[in-house]
Amino acid sequence: MTIYLYLQLLSEATGKLTAHHGDVLRFSMEKLFPEELIKPWDDKPPDIHIIGNLPFNVATPLIFQYMESIYNKTDAWRYGRVPMTLTFQKEVAERMVAHPGQENRCRVSIDVQNLCYVTVKKIIPGNTCYEVFVIFFTSKIICSKRFTFVVLCHGVILFKKIF
């Protein structure tokens, strides 16, 4: 039985979970929740929480897509500062939480930490598979200015336009 089927059973049993199956890179959360859940950005987060287990090949593109949505307050973030709990392969997670001066600091670290508070909540040991990290995101209260900045990362200059 797949995880999705287990989630469907849990959804039916509790009535408090909705499971969706599909391509996460093409899935829109823009109108997924009731309008009455919309909260002002500087208010407490709405009663919505995004949870996911991201495979290595979609983790980075999806994070950049989510960061653009957070900045523009679109998709799930039109409802407010929606928190996320996501699992990532160890290498991806270490890059996201890397601090300035650490070897694995990169564009992902800068983008994610610019828009979100990111914390490692749990490390799931890799007995038979890759070690994964559970990371919790809470969106920051951000200004609406659009700007460009330059970052030196591992000897490569990155030009970053804030969406």
Side-chain angles (χ1 to χ4, degrees):
M1 189 179 277
T2 67
I3 270 231
Y4 179 66
L5 294 176
Y6 284 115
L7 290 174
Q8 283 182 309
L9 291 172
L10 187 59
S11 175
E12 291 168 11
T14 64
K16 295 183 177 187
L17 170 76
T18 305
H20 295 273
H21 186 265
D23 183 348
V24 69
L25 291 171
R26 291 186 170 87
F27 187 77
S28 173
M29 296 178 274
E30 191 80 25
K31 302 209 185 287
L32 190 60
F33 309 105
E35 295 289 313
E36 56 268 10
L37 290 178
I38 293 175
K39 299 243 182 170
W41 195 258
D42 55 353
D43 202 352
K44 69 177 193 160
D47 195 17
I48 299 169
H49 196 109
I50 297 170
I51 300 171
N53 179 19
L54 305 180
F56 187 78
N57 61 329
V58 298
T60 303
L62 186 64
I63 286 303
F64 286 129
Q65 184 176 314
Y66 283 175
M67 293 305 110
E68 182 175 356
S69 294
I70 289 170
Y71 184 82
N72 290 318
K73 300 175 185 160
T74 58
D75 206 16
W77 295 275
R78 79 183 199 78
Y79 296 90
R81 293 181 302 118
V82 174
M84 298 177 279
T85 301
L86 305 171
T87 59
F88 295 94
Q89 205 167 3
K90 180 182 179 185
E91 295 78 13
V92 177
E94 287 174 340
R95 286 193 298 262
M96 279 194 287
V97 299
H99 297 291
Q102 289 183 317
E103 185 178 326
N104 49 1
R105 180 84 169 170
C106 63
R107 179 182 171 205
V108 173
S109 320
I110 295 162
D111 276 7
V112 169
Q113 292 172 28
N114 183 46
L115 299 172
C116 298
Y117 298 104
V118 189
T119 55
V120 173
K121 288 295 186 184
K122 182 166 182 63
I123 300 171
I124 302 169
N127 297 337
T128 57
C129 60
Y130 292 105
E131 186 172 49
V132 294
F133 285 47
V134 178
I135 297 193
F136 180 73
F137 295 77
T138 305
S139 305
K140 292 181 177 180
I141 297 173
I142 55 175
C143 64
S144 61
K145 292 182 182 176
R146 296 170 187 255
F147 58 92
T148 303
F149 63 93
V150 178
V151 176
L152 183 62
C153 183
H154 294 293
V156 178
I157 296 178
L158 302 174
F159 293 90
K160 174 70 180 115
K161 181 178 181 190
I162 297 298
F163 305 101

